[in-house]
């Protein structure tokens, strides 16, 4: 395949998959050939081939050395060398096609000649035309002519990380990928955690054909938060999340209990929460349908012996009700504050010689979690997005249709947000979860528990029993982080299992973040394909360097100098690491830079700036 081209050099050293070439005498400050539109080979990351008999060995340039001897005599020759790494091989197929294999175990022999790639070979290496289904990530950055085509299964099966500083085009890149997926796949299912309310604009045109002859994808937008009275957009559904619908794992994630003392108390509270009621006016609950209202459980840890005796009676009644599955006649859950009452009385009640008392030492262990519950109950911003009243939305009953069930309530919530097991006609293709109304400091308390609830429901369904879903987590560093419990341990993070085992449950994650170093390392380590835009922070760049052992140091050094709209892509979903130019989404998301000069020109400048002393 290389006989008609001019050689650019010969192999003089082979060290593992790294090789060293001496360049031909004619090659000076660049290496190129004009035959059949060959691209030049003159800088790191450029590709060339080495004659290997039946196969051509493909290499990527790492460094080029051009050096003149400090002292020249007639026997000295200028040094012209190039180091490279083997990335795969090319072989001829029937019909004149060329096949690229990314196996790098084939190495060249000493003295083998190296040649530039022709256009056909370049396309075989860069794109994946043999894929049955796929999407175009962009074009190769050098020629801006060859589409970088990836197989959709390879791209999504191992999760995707989209990284880059603010304003580099991450939202546009993800929007374009989502648009291509839904345009090519009638039963696609995407859930997008939209932190800044930007993605709805990218799907304002539902993709319907001319005169609505071809139905487009179904788009659903849910804004987490209380509905404003004067909301002008009927296409957006406003949703507050009932606290009980977060489920056991979601509430545990929300309250971050310590493993030794607080978690057992919280588990007791969640098991018996459906068997208490409260007026909501004081910090007390009592067993449902019981005439003796003195049998109360409180969260204040007061030492009064008489109330402690009543609390012990109430606790025993709750245990009996749960064990006997006594039918409840109420139609809503107690308020969120009831969790604190159940936790406190489980942890601090004890019996001594003088009777039932509340032990101050044990209460001190549980008090930090009670304080967290009180803080959330009194936080108006939290109540804008999480319903703490226990009202009926998503309130579901168990299989016996008698007792309200936290598990069934969680199932109802997760089906509403993440979709049901099957993708039937009329089901949405893209669900945008608009989290722009959620305060940044509350994001871990909203998005985190939602993911915990989804993970719990997904795993309960079993492997492969959910319609394949792509979950896009925008600005993931806000909520995919470890949170430290009171005893210094990390809170349970079920969403890490989403990353580790999600593919078995037909789930793919696409993480987008400006700060990969702030993300859970367990989640990042499971990403198979990385699309990296401009990053400059040292700790972030170290994360990238540890993610791939096949890419050279120079490739990563280019990440900090990438311009807007360009990305360095590597991993399982792509044949070889490369820099691409991304395409613009159409329509574009609402993620534009502020026009300072245009907005500031409205006023007339004064002759001289005023001074304020």
């Amino acid at each position: 395949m290389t006989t008609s081209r001019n050689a650019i050099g010969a192999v003089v050293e082979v060290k593992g998959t790294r090789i060293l070439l001496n360049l031909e005498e004619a090659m000076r400050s660049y290496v190129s050939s004009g035959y059949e539109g060959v691209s030049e080979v003159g800088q790191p990351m450029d590709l060339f081939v080495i004659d290997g008999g039946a196969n051509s060995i493909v290499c990527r340039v790492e460094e080029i050395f051009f050096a003149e001897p400090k002292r020249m005599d007639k026997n000295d020759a200028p040094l012209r060398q190039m180091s490279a790494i083997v990335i795969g091989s090319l072989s001829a197929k029937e019909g004149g096609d060329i096949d690229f294999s990314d196996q790098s175990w084939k190495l060249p022999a000493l003295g083998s000649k190296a040649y530039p790639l022709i256009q056909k070979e370049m396309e075989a290496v860069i794109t994946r035309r043999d894929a049955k289904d796929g999407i175009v990530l962009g074009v190769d950055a050098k020629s801006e002519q060859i589409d970088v085509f990836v197989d959709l299964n390879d791209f999504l099966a191992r999760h995707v990380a989209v990284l880059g500083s603010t304003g580099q085009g991450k939202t546009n890149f993800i929007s374009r990928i989502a648009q291509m997926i839904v345009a090519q796949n009638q039963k696609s299912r995407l859930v997008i955690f939209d932190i800044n309310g930007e993605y709805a604009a990218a799907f304002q045109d539902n993709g319907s054909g001319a005169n609505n002859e071809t139905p487009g994808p179904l788009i659903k937008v849910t804004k987490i938060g209380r509905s404003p009275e004067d909301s002008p957009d009927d296409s957006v559904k406003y949703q507050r999340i009932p606290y009980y619908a977060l489920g056991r794992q979601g509430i545990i994630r929300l309250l971050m209990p310590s493993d030794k003392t607080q978690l057992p108390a919280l588990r007791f509270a969640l098991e018996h929460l459906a068997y208490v009621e409260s007026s909501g006016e004081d910090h007390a609950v009592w067993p449902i349908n019981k005439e003796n209202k003195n049998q109360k459980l409180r969260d204040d840890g007061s030492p009064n012996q008489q109330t402690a005796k009543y609390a012990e009676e109430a606790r025993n009644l709750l245990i009996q009700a749960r064990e006997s599955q006594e039918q409840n006649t109420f139609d809503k859950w107690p308020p969120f504050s009831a969790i604190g009452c159940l936790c406190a009385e489980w942890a601090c009640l004890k019996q001594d010689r003088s009777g039932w008392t509340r032990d101050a030492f044990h209460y001190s262990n549980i008090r930090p979690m009670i304080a967290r519950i009180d803080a959330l109950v009194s936080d108006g911003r939290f109540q804008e997005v999480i319903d703490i009243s226990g009202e009926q939305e998503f309130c579901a009953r168990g299989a016996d249709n008698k007792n309200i069930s936290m598990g069934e309530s969680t199932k109802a919530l997760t089906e509403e947000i993440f979709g049901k097991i099957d993708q039937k006609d009329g089901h949405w293709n893209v669900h945008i979860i608009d989290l722009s109304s959620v305060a940044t400091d509350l994001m871990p308390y909203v998005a985190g528990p939602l993911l915990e609830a989804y993970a719990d429901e997904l795993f309960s369904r079993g492997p492969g029993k959910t319609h394949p879903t792509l979950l896009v987590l925008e600005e993931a560093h806000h909520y995919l982080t470890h949170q430290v419990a009171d005893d210094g341990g990390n809170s349970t993070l079920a969403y890490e299992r989403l990353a580790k085992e999600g593919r078995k449950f037909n789930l793919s994650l696409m993480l987008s973040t400006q700060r990969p170093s702030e993300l859970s390392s367990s989640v990042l380590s499971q990403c198979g394909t990385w699309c990296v835009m401009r990053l400059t922070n040292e700790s972030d760049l170290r994360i990238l360097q540890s993610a791939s052992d096949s890419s050279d140091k120079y490739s990563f050094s280019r990440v900090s100098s990438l311009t807007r709209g360009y990305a360095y892509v590597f991993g399982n979903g792509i044949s070889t690491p490369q820099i691409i130019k991304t395409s613009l989404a159409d329509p574009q998301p609402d993620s534009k830079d502020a026009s300072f000069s245009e907005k500031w020109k409205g006023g007339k400048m004064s002759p001289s700036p005023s001074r304020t002393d």
Side-chain angles (χ1 to χ4, degrees), residues 10-40:
V11 178
V12 296
E13 180 180 282
V14 178
K15 189 175 182 180
T17 57
R18 282 178 164 75
I19 62 172
L20 185 68
L21 277 70
N22 277 348
L23 300 181
E24 296 293 332
E25 181 67 22
M27 303 304 171
R28 298 296 177 184
S29 60
Y30 65 93
V31 179
S32 66
S33 171
Y35 180 74
E36 292 190 7
V38 177
S39 61
E40 70 173 23

Side-chain angles (χ1 to χ4, degrees), residues 192-458:
I192 302 175
F193 273 33
D194 186 1
I195 301 299
N196 299 309
E198 301 170 324
Y199 283 90
F203 297 95
Q204 59 187 2
D205 175 9
N206 282 356
S208 301
N211 301 319
N212 292 324
E213 295 176 358
T214 304
L218 297 177
I219 312 300
K220 177 182 176 181
V221 180
T222 297
K223 188 161 187 174
I224 302 299
R226 193 187 300 273
S227 174
E229 296 179 359
D230 57 347
S231 174
D233 192 352
D234 295 334
S235 65
V236 177
K237 178 182 179 181
Y238 289 84
Q239 179 72 66
R240 281 204 306 162
I241 303 169
Y243 79 89
Y244 58 83
L246 293 172
R248 288 171 57 91
Q249 294 303 320
I251 295 176
I252 289 173
R253 165 68 169 165
L254 178 67
L255 297 179
M256 298 179 295
S258 62
D259 289 337
K260 294 181 179 179
T261 56
Q262 297 174 8
L263 184 56
L266 182 55
R267 285 175 175 162
F268 172 86
L270 297 179
E271 288 175 356
H272 298 86
L273 188 62
Y275 298 92
V276 297
E277 60 180 327
S278 170
S279 65
E281 297 177 356
D282 57 357
H283 290 256
V285 297
W286 52 87
I288 193 83
N289 299 332
K290 298 302 177 184
E291 296 181 358
N292 187 358
K293 301 301 182 182
N294 288 325
Q295 294 170 328
K296 292 183 178 182
L297 299 99
R298 303 178 181 276
D299 67 356
D300 57 4
S302 59
N304 186 288
Q305 290 185 358
Q306 185 66 19
T307 57
K309 178 179 180 297
Y310 284 140
E312 178 60 23
E313 293 174 355
R315 191 172 70 172
N316 291 334
L317 288 173
L318 293 180
I319 295 174
Q320 293 171 14
R322 181 182 62 81
E323 291 176 347
S324 63
Q325 290 295 301
E326 180 182 342
Q327 180 177 350
N328 298 320
T329 59
F330 61 98
D331 58 0
K332 74 172 190 175
W333 289 80
F336 182 69
S337 58
I339 297 176
C341 299
L342 289 165
C343 288
E345 300 291 29
W346 185 92
C348 69
L349 278 179
K350 73 171 187 176
Q351 190 175 25
D352 56 21
R353 294 178 181 178
S354 59
W356 289 102
T357 60
R358 291 184 173 95
D359 186 274
F361 175 77
H362 288 96
Y363 182 75
S364 66
N365 292 330
I366 210 75
R367 179 56 191 162
M369 188 167 66
I370 304 298
R372 280 194 293 274
I373 294 173
D374 291 343
L376 294 174
V377 168
S378 61
D379 191 338
R381 298 175 306 161
F382 179 76
Q383 294 183 43
E384 286 291 320
V385 294
I386 300 293
D387 186 354
I388 66 172
S389 67
E391 295 298 331
Q392 292 186 30
E393 190 168 15
F394 298 116
C395 179
R397 296 188 178 274
D400 57 2
N401 201 30
K402 295 179 179 179
N403 299 331
I404 57 175
S405 167
M406 182 172 288
E408 291 299 317
S409 300
T410 303
K411 179 180 178 181
L413 174 66
T414 53
E415 287 184 347
E416 173 73 15
I417 291 181
F418 299 98
K420 297 185 178 181
I421 292 179
D422 300 320
Q423 185 86 347
K424 297 181 180 179
D425 293 340
H427 194 285
W428 47 263
N429 299 102
V430 179
H431 190 187
I432 300 171
I433 311 299
D434 188 340
L435 296 165
S436 58
S437 295
V438 181
T440 301
D441 60 323
L442 292 177
M443 195 65 68
Y445 302 109
V446 178
L450 267 180
L451 291 176
E452 296 288 337
Y454 180 49
D456 194 44
E457 171 62 22
L458 193 67

Side-chain angles (χ1 to χ4, degrees), residues 8 23-33 40-44 46 61 63-68 78-82 142:
I8 61 174
L23 300 181
E24 296 293 332
E25 181 67 22
M27 303 304 171
R28 298 296 177 184
S29 60
Y30 65 93
V31 179
S32 66
S33 171
E40 70 173 23
V41 183
Q43 59 183 339
D46 287 343
V61 177
E63 291 182 296
I64 299 177
F65 307 96
F66 296 118
E68 298 286 350
L79 181 63
R80 303 283 187 263
Q81 287 186 320
M82 183 163 63
K142 190 163 189 180

Side-chain angles (χ1 to χ4, degrees), residues 97-290:
D97 291 335
I98 301 174
D99 182 48
F100 172 70
S101 170
D102 59 2
Q103 301 297 321
S104 58
W105 56 269
K106 294 182 180 179
L107 301 176
L110 292 176
S112 300
K113 296 292 186 179
Y115 304 88
L117 288 168
I118 61 173
Q119 185 80 8
K120 197 173 185 180
E121 293 170 339
M122 186 74 75
E123 290 178 352
V125 174
I126 289 179
T127 192
R128 292 285 300 276
R129 294 297 181 187
D130 60 331
K132 295 180 180 180
D133 299 292
I135 56 174
V136 178
L137 295 184
V139 296
D140 74 295
K142 190 163 189 180
S143 70
E144 297 191 3
Q145 296 178 352
I146 304 175
D147 288 337
V148 179
F149 187 84
V150 296
D151 180 86
L152 193 58
N153 290 328
D154 291 343
F155 184 62
L156 297 181
R158 298 292 188 276
H159 310 312
V160 181
V162 181
L163 315 176
S165 303
T166 181
Q168 297 305 307
K170 299 188 300 299
T171 303
N172 173 81
F173 180 66
I174 293 174
S175 297
R176 181 57 184 153
I177 289 175
Q179 290 169 350
M180 286 187 286
I181 289 175
V182 298
Q184 297 173 16
N185 301 274
Q186 184 179 3
K187 290 191 174 182
S188 57
R189 181 186 288 185
L190 289 78
V191 180
I192 302 175
F193 273 33
D194 186 1
I195 301 299
N196 299 309
E198 301 170 324
Y199 283 90
F203 297 95
Q204 59 187 2
D205 175 9
N206 282 356
S208 301
N211 301 319
N212 292 324
E213 295 176 358
T214 304
L218 297 177
I219 312 300
K220 177 182 176 181
V221 180
T222 297
K223 188 161 187 174
I224 302 299
R226 193 187 300 273
S227 174
E229 296 179 359
D230 57 347
S231 174
D233 192 352
D234 295 334
S235 65
V236 177
K237 178 182 179 181
Y238 289 84
Q239 179 72 66
R240 281 204 306 162
I241 303 169
Y243 79 89
Y244 58 83
L246 293 172
R248 288 171 57 91
Q249 294 303 320
I251 295 176
I252 289 173
R253 165 68 169 165
L254 178 67
L255 297 179
M256 298 179 295
S258 62
D259 289 337
K260 294 181 179 179
T261 56
Q262 297 174 8
L263 184 56
L266 182 55
R267 285 175 175 162
F268 172 86
L270 297 179
E271 288 175 356
H272 298 86
L273 188 62
Y275 298 92
V276 297
E277 60 180 327
S278 170
S279 65
E281 297 177 356
D282 57 357
H283 290 256
V285 297
W286 52 87
I288 193 83
N289 299 332
K290 298 302 177 184

